[in-house]
Amino acid sequence: MTTKERDGRRGVNPDVFFFGILLLLYSGLTLVLFYRQAVEYQGMYTSDMRAYILETEGLESGYEFPYRFFFWLSRLWMPMAGPEAAVAFSTMLLNSLGVFLVKRYFGRRMRDYAAKQLVRWNFLWDMGVTLAVFSLFFVSMYYGPKEVKIFGYDYIYRCSGILTPNPYWNATYLAVRPFSVVCFFLTQELLEEYEEKIGTGKALQLALFSFLAAFTKPSFTFILLPVVGLVLLYRLLRSRFAIWRNTLLLGSCFLPTGLLLIGQFFRVFTGGSASGSETGIGVSLGRAWHIYSSNIPLSVMLALLFPFCTLALNFRELKRDGGFRLAWQLMAAGFLSFLFLYEKGFRLEHMNFSWGYMHGLFFVYAMGILQMMKNLCGWKPWIFKLFVVPQLWLFLHHLRCGMEFFIYLFQGYNAGVF
């Protein structure tokens, strides 16, 4: 008897209501935040919303945005709600869709793992997955009080310098989440099976969602494509070109996205801007990052305490678990791009190459949480003490910091001086 048939006999899974209620509350809370950012409520709530609203209205924003999906979607609601509410609603809708998709993938992965471990699954496990999913969307960098310095770290720039997987002040980062989530898990699945066979349905979905991700904000596909390219090249050479056909087929899934990225970066990072100032991509060690952090290694450590702990305690999973490995590969790509690349001119201080790094943060947290739950699922006293306790302790610290950071933003304060 399948899980679906068992659920049908026992009635509706209570987790459906639990998740639904939390999703409604979360969506309502974020909608209020995004709308306040859109209207700059009480002269506060600093964000990038104003430029996005102007683009949605078809007006000159002073920036060049070659990613249009978010603006096109917002125009659907604009006649009914006005530009500010339309942009806020689109941000909430896409961000909450990301929550729903993470729940779907987490639930499926945990059920499969529990079946392999002969663990009896019930609605309490489903509710645990739900809590883990929502916690993922609140975790943030670790920090202490502003008056307290760690190894001399200047906390006046702790948000911009340390960075977070949940930057609730940037609508386009939040809008790309559902597409990046689908791309991540589809890429993992295809990388695990493409040498034997490529499913046409999965390949078409990956091509579509990677294109939509780039057309919403190119930061995620900017790190995904080189990671996939290097993995495919390594496996091709290792096989002595025996899998060249399937390698070519999988690589072609990213061809539309790659062409779109070339067009986007050619338009934005060459020549001059609308205001006539210098643009272009520069290469220098920590040029943009050093504006906001006097100690980059410490910033990385504070952003990744929980993921580093999970990696250290579950290092063998890099070989066993394709998702765990892919998350850290994306993390490395995002870190290197932010460390070495910067934008010339007035966009230097915007740290726009940090978005790929923050996508990497999001997925190493996601896979770290999933791995922590797997450790908990395979319950044994020594496993709990050695693996779950240190991971959970650090995770709860990141969650506390993230909740405080979200409340800080919700109250209208400026993230740049957090």
Side-chain angles (χ1 to χ4, degrees):
M1 183 183 294
T2 65
T3 302
K4 189 173 182 179
E5 290 171 340
R6 286 195 298 268
D7 290 342
R9 286 191 175 187
R10 298 173 184 173
V12 179
N13 188 338
D15 179 61
V16 174
F17 296 104
F18 184 57
F19 176 75
I21 291 171
L22 289 183
L23 184 61
L24 285 173
L25 292 173
Y26 173 78
S27 299
L29 189 65
T30 53
L31 180 59
V32 171
L33 173 62
F34 301 146
Y35 182 72
R36 288 181 177 180
Q37 290 174 346
V39 300
E40 296 180 349
Y41 182 66
Q42 295 183 343
M44 302 171 71
Y45 295 90
T46 304
S47 72
D48 298 327
M49 282 291 199
R50 178 49 50 190
Y52 301 149
I53 291 168
L54 291 172
E55 289 288 331
T56 300
E57 294 178 290
L59 303 176
E60 177 57 50
S61 66
Y63 299 92
E64 296 181 30
F65 295 115
Y67 35 95
R68 315 301 302 176
F69 177 83
F70 177 65
F71 308 133
W72 290 352
L73 179 65
S74 299
R75 287 172 188 166
L76 294 178
W77 335 115
M78 191 167 63
M80 298 174 285
E84 291 84 2
V87 171
F89 180 77
S90 293
T91 309
M92 178 278 294
L93 183 66
L94 291 170
N95 183 62
S96 293
L97 179 58
V99 177
F100 174 81
L101 290 169
V102 171
K103 164 68 173 175
R104 177 174 174 268
Y105 283 110
F106 270 28
R108 190 170 69 186
R109 298 297 171 90
M110 284 303 302
R111 283 173 179 265
D112 291 343
Y113 183 81
K116 292 178 182 178
Q117 297 296 315
L118 303 179
V119 174
R120 184 177 179 182
W121 193 266
N122 55 47
F123 73 91
L124 293 177
W125 279 110
D126 284 321
M127 295 174 78
V129 171
T130 293
L131 292 175
V133 169
F134 280 100
S135 68
L136 169 63
F137 285 81
F138 283 105
V139 291
S140 192
M141 60 274 168
Y142 179 79
Y143 59 85
K146 276 192 174 183
E147 295 76 18
V148 179
K149 295 184 179 181
I150 300 178
F151 302 115
Y153 190 88
D154 187 357
Y155 271 121
I156 192 171
Y157 297 127
R158 60 190 179 190
C159 171
S160 301
I162 303 174
L163 298 174
T164 171
N166 291 301
Y168 279 102
W169 67 89
N170 186 266
T172 49
Y173 175 94
L174 303 175
V176 79
R177 271 178 162 169
F179 309 125
S180 64
V181 167
V182 174
C183 286
F184 176 85
F185 286 102
L186 281 177
T187 300
Q188 177 210 336
E189 292 172 8
L190 283 168
L191 285 176
E192 290 177 350
E193 64 189 38
Y194 84 96
E195 295 183 21
E196 301 295 330
K197 183 181 178 181
I198 296 180
T200 304
K202 285 184 181 179
L204 291 175
Q205 289 179 54
L206 181 57
L208 173 63
F209 282 100
S210 63
F211 185 87
L212 287 173
F215 207 35
T216 305
K217 190 180 185 76
S219 51
F220 174 72
T221 48
F222 182 77
I223 62 172
L224 177 65
L225 265 62
V227 165
V228 173
L230 289 173
V231 170
L232 292 180
L233 179 61
Y234 168 75
R235 293 185 181 181
L236 182 65
L237 295 175
R238 186 185 62 182
S239 71
R240 298 182 180 180
F241 296 91
I243 57 171
W244 69 268
R245 188 184 300 274
N246 286 8
T247 301
L248 185 62
L249 288 173
L250 181 54
S252 66
C253 295
F254 297 98
L255 183 59
T257 305
L259 294 174
L260 177 61
L261 283 175
I262 292 172
Q264 289 173 328
F265 278 75
F266 179 80
R267 288 181 56 191
V268 174
F269 301 119
T270 60
S273 69
S275 61
S277 62
E278 180 188 19
T279 62
I281 299 177
V283 180
S284 180
L285 181 63
R287 175 72 181 277
W289 207 335
H290 271 307
I291 295 175
Y292 299 98
S293 173
S294 59
N295 192 331
I296 292 177
L298 183 59
S299 295
V300 173
M301 184 190 75
L302 293 174
L304 289 161
L305 282 173
F306 166 71
F308 277 150
C309 175
T310 306
L311 176 64
L313 294 176
N314 303 272
F315 193 76
R316 292 182 179 179
E317 295 302 315
L318 284 174
K319 186 175 182 180
R320 300 171 182 169
D321 189 330
F324 197 69
R325 183 170 61 251
L326 179 61
W328 278 102
Q329 289 168 338
L330 292 174
M331 178 71 255
F335 167 73
L336 291 174
S337 66
F338 183 36
L339 184 64
F340 287 101
L341 301 179
Y342 70 95
E343 296 177 58
K344 299 177 181 177
F346 76 100
R347 296 171 69 95
L348 170 63
E349 294 185 358
H350 295 184
M351 297 195 311
N352 281 326
F353 281 103
S354 68
W355 300 117
Y357 176 62
M358 284 188 272
H359 282 296
L361 287 174
F362 179 80
F363 284 106
V364 291
Y365 270 93
M367 291 299 100
I369 292 171
L370 194 59
Q371 184 58 44
M372 182 173 64
M373 293 188 68
K374 288 180 179 179
N375 295 148
L376 184 60
C377 190
W379 173 274
K380 290 180 182 178
W382 69 270
I383 289 180
F384 186 78
K385 292 177 182 178
L386 180 61
F387 290 89
V388 179
V389 170
Q391 293 174 91
L392 183 60
W393 186 80
L394 286 174
F395 173 73
L396 290 176
H397 276 288
H398 280 286
L399 181 58
R400 175 188 59 81
C401 291
M403 294 291 289
E404 291 177 359
F405 181 48
F406 182 85
I407 293 171
Y408 174 88
L409 293 177
F410 197 84
Q411 293 173 336
Y413 297 110
N414 185 1
V417 295
F418 179 69

